[in-house]
Amino acid sequence: MNKKEILIRLLKYMLADKRTLAVSCSLLLLASLADVSGPWLIRIFLDDYLANDLFPPQALWGLAAGYIGVTVASGLLHYGYGIRFSRMAVGIVQTIRKRVYSSVLKQPLSAFDFVPIGKLVSRITNDTESLKDMYVTVFATFLKTITLLTVMLGVMLMLSPMLTAVVFLLVPVVIGVMYAYQKRSSPVYRESRDLLSDINAVMSESIQGMSLIQLMAQEENFCRRFEAMTAKRLKAEMRIQRMNGFFLRPLIDLMSGVVLMALVALFGLNGTEVIGVGLLYAFINYLGRVTEPLVELMMRLALLQQAIIAGERLFELMDIKSQQYGDDEQPMQTGTIRFNQVNFSYDDKVQVIKGVDIDVKQGGFLALVGHTGSGKSTLASLMMGFYDVNAGSIELDGRPIGSLSHSSLRQGIAMVQQDPHVMSDTLRENVSLGREVSDASILKALEQAELGDFTRELAKGLDTPLGDGEIGLSAGQKQLLALARVLVEKPKILILDEATANIDSGTEDKVQRVLATLRQDMTVVVIAHRLSTIAEADQILVLHRGEVVERGNHSSLLGQKGRYWQMYELQQASAQLKELEQLAG
């Protein structure tokens, strides 16, 4: 989208609430009429009474009362306009923020494969704040300036067309300056905005990876990298300030000074017979009132540039194609899984999965093993419907995965990841995850996940804050919590992605007992590093560079003495070495 399209799209949000906009503009029009009435009343006093040495008390008291009245009315009307317009503007920003957030949540995971999290967060937060500045400040100032200029020029024409023509020369010159400023400042503001997003992204990722940075003694390197980025942004900001210092007030003040001199020169040439003192006062007053809004509007152009760039980036997020699902709302009845010659690539260049066939019946136990990068987690993501295959087909419950609706797919298949996310919320919310679930069901799920004793020891029970709250969970407790989430609404297919990789043997035994219970109601797919976890699997697939190189159960694969046998022997040797070290210790 070009700048014009972005600006029109932003304006449409403001035009959506026509009633509030109409009331605000009406108040602004009345406020502008009150603004121009004051100098008009003073002109009457100077030209009609003071110049003619006339001082009728009733008329003068009427002028004084009128002047005070229009001044008070102007203040009240401007206040009413500001409050209503600001409320409308903040509401628009909230609407855009919610739509962007909703769009991000509904995007396919492929949209996040190559986007730094810090930059994404910066867009949602900082860019929406820029839009707020545009609506609350820029558009409000623009409406105020245009309305005031229109009213003042109309009044000035009524007073003196000749003097109005002199003042009117200022308007096209200002428009030309504004155009030149916009043309020069746009690329600089874009550069500054992009650099700010990069800085925020680096800060976010550095804080998230603080332990790694300190372990690798890379503090100085990251500091130098951060200093280089901030130095680039400082240069961009200084270029902006130099442009603002040249284009904004100095040029406008110079032009208004020239117009003022022309008005005084006309007064000197024609005298009070043609141009009255009161008329000259009114025009000088109006000129000052016109100049200030123009200067303010010019200064607000900087915010407009930032807002247009922010709007472009936010609309990019809003317009990305959402995750596509099918129309079949029928809940999954079985946990059957079938892959038929599935090929997949993340970037359409390197094939991560090559010709994989899988056939698992209801209640089956499938295990996926292989070295890092062999494609295990990718197969799990394909089962979850996070990505579309490049070739071949996937069927769940005997139906093509692409035909299943969002609700059918998410209720029918669940995944427990290697490092489950724990929200900064209560234990109740961490299990229910926003679902309508009774406390009794949550407690039952925690009991089945072998977290019953842990829950009973908590003083606040289900109301205990987790994450950044009062209680921190171990790696094993996180895995059991993730299983409790699954047990609340039992799916037909459960995928465990390296769920036992970072837990102790005691917690692994608990997970095994929970899995034995779950297998009675669902199909289980386990991606395992510890081969002891999958010894009871009905079918084990050994993956290598995206291909299935061995297939069978634990005993048959050991008998083949291939890759699986090698992995098993290495793990057994490693376990024996640990036992010897413990004995020696």
Side-chain angles (χ1 to χ4, degrees), residues 6-23:
I6 295 168
L7 190 57
I8 291 173
R9 188 168 175 180
L10 291 171
L11 284 170
K12 285 181 178 178
Y13 282 97
M14 194 167 67
L15 295 173
D17 191 355
K18 294 183 176 61
R19 184 177 180 277
T20 303
L21 183 61
V23 172

Side-chain angles (χ1 to χ4, degrees), residues 323-369:
Q323 176 76 48
Q324 298 299 303
Y325 297 95
D327 300 323
D328 191 346
E329 298 284 349
Q330 178 69 27
M332 290 174 58
Q333 303 299 316
T334 66
T336 60
I337 304 170
R338 181 170 289 107
F339 278 51
N340 181 30
Q341 287 297 300
V342 169
N343 292 331
F344 175 74
S345 171
Y346 286 103
D347 56 7
D348 294 327
K349 297 178 182 177
V350 179
Q351 288 294 321
V352 181
I353 300 297
K354 307 170 188 175
V356 171
D357 290 316
I358 298 175
D359 194 351
V360 184
K361 296 179 180 180
Q362 163 65 23
F365 184 177
L366 172 69
L368 304 175
V369 299

Side-chain angles (χ1 to χ4, degrees), residues 45-65:
F45 169 71
L46 293 175
D47 288 345
D48 296 352
Y49 294 99
L50 184 63
N52 296 319
D53 202 22
L54 297 173
F55 302 98
Q58 187 174 359
L60 294 180
W61 279 112
L63 288 173

Side-chain angles (χ1 to χ4, degrees), residues 97-114:
R97 183 181 284 120
K98 286 188 290 187
R99 290 183 179 178
V100 171
Y101 182 68
S102 175
S103 176
V104 169
L105 290 180
K106 294 175 182 177
Q107 288 176 19
L109 283 184
S110 56
F112 305 98
D113 287 340
F114 307 105

Side-chain angles (χ1 to χ4, degrees), residues 217-231:
Q218 293 299 304
E219 294 92 338
E220 291 299 323
N221 287 338
F222 273 79
C223 283
R224 284 194 293 270
R225 179 186 174 193
F226 188 78
E227 288 172 2
M229 296 177 70
T230 53

Side-chain angles (χ1 to χ4, degrees), residues 323-324 343-345 381-382 385-391 394 401-402:
Q323 176 76 48
Q324 298 299 303
N343 292 331
F344 175 74
S345 171
S381 296
L382 293 175
F386 291 151
Y387 300 92
D388 294 327
V389 299
N390 301 129
I394 299 176
I401 191 171

Side-chain angles (χ1 to χ4, degrees), residues 185 210 251 402 503:
S185 63
M210 186 64 69
L251 276 180
I503 60 179

Side-chain angles (χ1 to χ4, degrees), residues 184-196 199 228-244 306:
R184 290 176 176 270
S185 63
S186 180
V188 185
Y189 274 108
R190 180 181 296 277
E191 179 186 0
S192 175
R193 200 74 195 172
D194 289 341
L195 286 170
L196 179 60
I199 289 171
M229 296 177 70
T230 53
K232 285 183 179 179
R233 187 159 193 268
L234 176 61
K235 289 181 181 179
E237 286 294 306
M238 290 307 300
R239 289 169 62 191
I240 291 171
Q241 293 303 319
R242 283 194 290 270
M243 279 190 292
N244 290 350
Q306 296 182 35

